[in-house]
């Protein structure tokens, strides 16, 4: 076999493999979305979900902490880190 035949064979194999993966992933997306619709409609019929469906998730933003809460968190962090360092050093003498 010549080098160009091997190169052509490798390129064909690569393209066939990439095509197969693309088709498989596309089918996977469609099947997953169809399953999601079926399960959602089934759960609405059974009564597990409300008729209007589930609201989309929203980001939960914690209220701003004041300066004393930051200082308290820092003190707790220093305490925990100091205990961890002390334990590590006591084990590895």
């Amino acid at each position: 076999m010549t080098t160009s035949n091997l190169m052509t064979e490798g390129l064909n194999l690569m393209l066939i493999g990439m095509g197969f993966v693309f088709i498989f992933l596309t089918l996977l997306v469609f099947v997953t979305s169809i399953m999601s619709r079926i399960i959602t409609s089934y759960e609405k019929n059974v009564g597990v979900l409300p008729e209007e469906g589930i609201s989309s998730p929203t980001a939960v933003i914690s209220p701003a902490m004041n300066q004393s809460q930051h200082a308290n968190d820092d003190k707790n962090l220093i305490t925990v880190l100091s205990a961890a360092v002390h334990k590590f050093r006591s084990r590895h003498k």
Side-chain angles (χ1 to χ4, degrees):
M1 286 192 145
T2 64
T3 306
S4 70
N5 283 346
L6 290 175
M7 200 69 142
T8 305
E9 216 173 290
L11 187 61
N12 285 338
L13 183 62
M14 180 186 72
L15 290 175
I16 290 170
M18 289 175 65
F20 180 77
V21 169
F22 178 77
I23 291 170
F24 174 77
L25 291 177
T26 304
L27 286 173
L28 185 67
V29 167
F30 285 123
V31 168
T32 303
S33 62
I34 291 170
M35 275 183 16
S36 175
R37 288 183 190 153
I38 291 170
I39 290 172
T40 302
S41 66
Y42 171 75
E43 288 183 346
K44 283 182 185 177
N45 290 337
V46 173
V48 176
L49 291 178
E51 278 299 318
E52 62 274 1
I54 301 173
S55 60
S56 41
T58 57
V60 177
I61 301 173
S62 64
M65 294 192 311
N66 60 25
Q67 193 65 22
S68 66
Q69 288 173 325
H70 279 295
N72 193 21
D73 282 351
D74 289 344
K75 287 179 186 176
N76 289 339
L77 181 62
I78 290 171
T79 304
V80 169
L81 290 174
S82 298
V85 168
H86 177 71
K87 190 167 191 168
F88 178 80
R89 287 182 179 169
S90 68
R91 286 185 179 174
H92 295 88
K93 283 189 174 186

